[in-house]
Amino acid sequence: MQYRQNLFGLNQQDLDNFFSQLGEKPHRTKQFMQWVYHQREFDFDKMSNLDEQLKDKLKTVATLDLPRVVVQNFALDGVIKWVLDLGNQNHIETIYIPEKKRGTLCISSQIGCALACTFCSTGKQGFNRNLSTAEMITQVMIAQQYLHAKDKNISNVVFMGMGEPLLNENAVYQACGLLLDDLAFGLSRRKVTISTSGIVPALYRLAKQVPVSLAISLHAANDALRNELVPINQKYPLKELLAACQNYLDSGTQERHILFEYVMLEGVNDSAQQARQLAKLLYGIAAKVNLIPFNLFPKSIYRTSKTATIKTFQDILFDNGIRATTRRVRGGDVLAACGQLAGKVVDKSGRSQL
Ligand code: SAH
Ligand code: SF4
């Protein structure tokens, strides 16, 4: 059978090229994107303003394929987790987190993750491969289809699911383009966030090319500890990471700020002295710190900090001029909280056997 191209993941320019190769005028792109992204119509036959000949052609050369939903879990607090089958026995996870005034979708960018942060369940699974733009965009489509029927919507998208987005730059940036494009999802740049453990060269490219919000997974305020918790720090130490962050803040036409994520691990990174060190490190940077209570997963070696310890840590940051919030744990009963996403990864790094 002829190879059929999945049209999810193509941006306006790609679709212009695609339709022009079929001998169609560029206005088809607009019509087509409105069907897919605004009407959520994935059946070419039902796209009524496309003529019959074009529909037939589309059916032979293209598809709008969504991955199979393996399971959909509903947590007691309204969080929804979709497990999606990406073939070859790999599963990824996508999470919807409803709040009073917004609905955030947390999407995956890779099958597993090669970076092996010691406190992260995804990191323990090893790595299989990068996701394509279509595989990221279809996570949003699947969630949107379900939520639309329930009269709910997605106001924010965060790349905080499985994987390190800045090790899959091109596909992630193209997905960001579609999330921001009014003909697709039309989200504002403040509502799309890339979270990274700090791939420094990519941060310079992102600062220039992609107008989205940035979250940095910091977790330690000195190199010795960060080398241990976030091993990529051995390659890109704090000094280089913070210089790249400052460059991000100084680039772009609109005011920017960075969210620094800091997972609270009992007896590891949660002392008063470490809070002061963190405040000193971030002083003068347009930053907000988000303290994340550590989420347990099977065989994890850490415990989460006590609530009182987290409060003291937050107060010290505040007293030293750093804005800080504590993330509420959401979706824990269906293993949908930060760092609990494991999916099913056919590991190619060999690490999962360690
Ligand atoms: N790879 C990217 C994005 C995915 S991880 C990154 O590291 O930023 C999303 C967030 O969840 C990161 O801040 C990560 O450090 C945090 N996280 C990972 N494991 C966690 C755990 N067990 N408990 C709480 N947060 C965790
Ligand atoms: Fe990868 Fe992020 Fe998990 Fe580290 S925290 S292993 S970078 S997904």
Side-chain angles (χ1 to χ4, degrees):
M1 199 174 114
Q2 190 184 350
Y3 165 75
R4 293 190 296 155
Q5 182 170 14
N6 192 351
L7 300 183
F8 281 123
L10 299 196
N11 62 20
Q12 288 196 39
Q13 172 89 59
D14 300 333
L15 285 168
D16 281 351
N17 292 340
F18 171 79
F19 283 115
S20 101
Q21 274 164 15
L22 295 185
E24 295 289 326
K25 297 251 158 52
H27 73 276
R28 290 297 183 204
T29 295
K30 190 169 176 197
Q31 292 174 326
F32 178 78
M33 287 181 83
Q34 279 168 339
W35 280 115
V36 175
Y37 295 104
H38 298 175
Q39 308 295 327
R40 286 166 299 280
E41 180 56 74
F42 309 144
D43 181 349
F44 298 130
D45 274 333
K46 295 199 179 134
M47 299 180 178
S48 55
N49 53 1
L50 306 187
D51 56 47
E52 294 307 315
Q53 225 187 341
L54 175 57
K55 288 180 196 165
D56 287 343
K57 239 189 274 175
L58 284 175
K59 281 186 277 182
T60 56
V61 299
T63 62
L64 281 168
D65 271 346
L66 296 170
R68 183 176 70 87
V69 178
V70 179
V71 62
Q72 195 174 0
N73 292 133
F74 299 89
L76 295 170
D77 59 6
V79 165
I80 306 172
K81 173 166 102 171
W82 289 267
V83 180
L84 305 177
D85 183 355
L86 294 192
N88 298 324
Q89 300 183 18
N90 289 301
H91 293 170
I92 54 150
E93 302 185 352
T94 306
I95 315 292
Y96 176 71
I97 308 142
E99 282 164 290
K100 262 198 203 110
K101 290 196 179 143
R102 59 184 184 187
T104 300
L105 193 73
C106 175
I107 65 174
S108 295
S109 57
Q110 299 182 310
I111 300 176
C113 183
L115 294 185
C117 300
T118 50
F119 50 84
C120 173
S121 176
T122 306
K124 297 267 172 245
Q125 300 286 301
F127 174 72
N128 185 276
R129 66 168 171 86
N130 280 335
L131 298 191
S132 65
T133 303
E135 287 168 330
M136 289 180 256
I137 290 301
T138 48
Q139 294 175 59
V140 188
M141 300 296 329
I142 284 177
Q144 208 182 41
Q145 257 184 326
Y146 174 83
L147 294 165
H148 182 75
K150 305 272 170 212
D151 230 8
K152 294 190 180 124
N153 83 324
I154 296 168
S155 63
N156 297 59
V157 174
V158 294
F159 288 82
M160 290 188 191
M162 295 166 68
E164 169 47 57
L166 293 191
L167 289 180
N168 184 12
E169 275 183 86
N170 291 344
V172 165
Y173 295 168
Q174 169 119 343
C176 288
L178 281 161
L179 291 168
L180 301 180
D181 185 351
D182 285 339
L183 270 184
F185 299 97
L187 297 177
S188 87
R189 56 185 65 196
R190 280 174 294 109
K191 304 210 159 165
V192 177
T193 302
I194 290 183
S195 173
T196 176
S197 55
I199 312 297
V200 166
L203 277 169
Y204 283 95
R205 289 187 287 269
L206 174 128
K208 243 205 235 155
Q209 296 170 24
V210 199
V212 294
S213 298
L214 180 63
I216 299 283
S217 293
L218 199 61
H219 311 311
N222 65 70
D223 281 321
L225 182 58
R226 195 163 191 270
N227 284 344
E228 199 183 298
L229 301 178
V230 185
I232 195 68
N233 192 73
Q234 295 161 22
K235 192 162 179 194
Y236 304 120
L238 282 170
K239 194 157 174 260
E240 288 178 29
L241 175 58
L242 288 172
C245 288
Q246 194 56 56
N247 172 69
Y248 168 86
L249 293 170
D250 296 340
S251 312
T253 46
Q254 271 152 337
E255 207 186 322
R256 291 176 160 182
H257 76 273
I258 296 177
L259 185 72
F260 286 92
E261 296 162 288
Y262 193 99
V263 63
M264 296 298 288
L265 306 169
E266 187 175 54
V268 176
N269 65 354
D270 64 351
S271 72
Q273 191 249 335
Q274 284 160 323
R276 282 191 291 273
Q277 195 176 31
L278 178 59
K280 203 166 155 206
L281 185 76
L282 297 182
Y283 194 76
I285 296 182
K288 196 174 114 181
V289 173
N290 194 211
L291 302 174
I292 315 176
F294 170 66
N295 292 310
L296 284 170
F297 55 87
K299 295 200 200 148
S300 59
I301 54 170
Y302 299 109
R303 277 178 307 192
T304 190
S305 307
K306 303 233 163 16
T307 308
T309 312
I310 300 178
K311 167 90 174 56
T312 307
F313 198 96
Q314 184 172 335
D315 290 346
I316 293 172
L317 291 178
F318 191 76
D319 292 344
N320 286 276
I322 306 290
R323 284 184 303 147
T325 49
T326 299
R327 191 176 290 178
R328 254 190 327 137
V329 178
R330 302 291 306 270
D333 53 330
V334 295
L335 286 181
C338 300
Q340 291 180 323
L341 308 190
K344 195 164 103 186
V345 177
V346 179
D347 179 32
K348 287 190 175 160
S349 67
R351 190 156 30 73
S352 59
Q353 280 103 48
L354 297 181

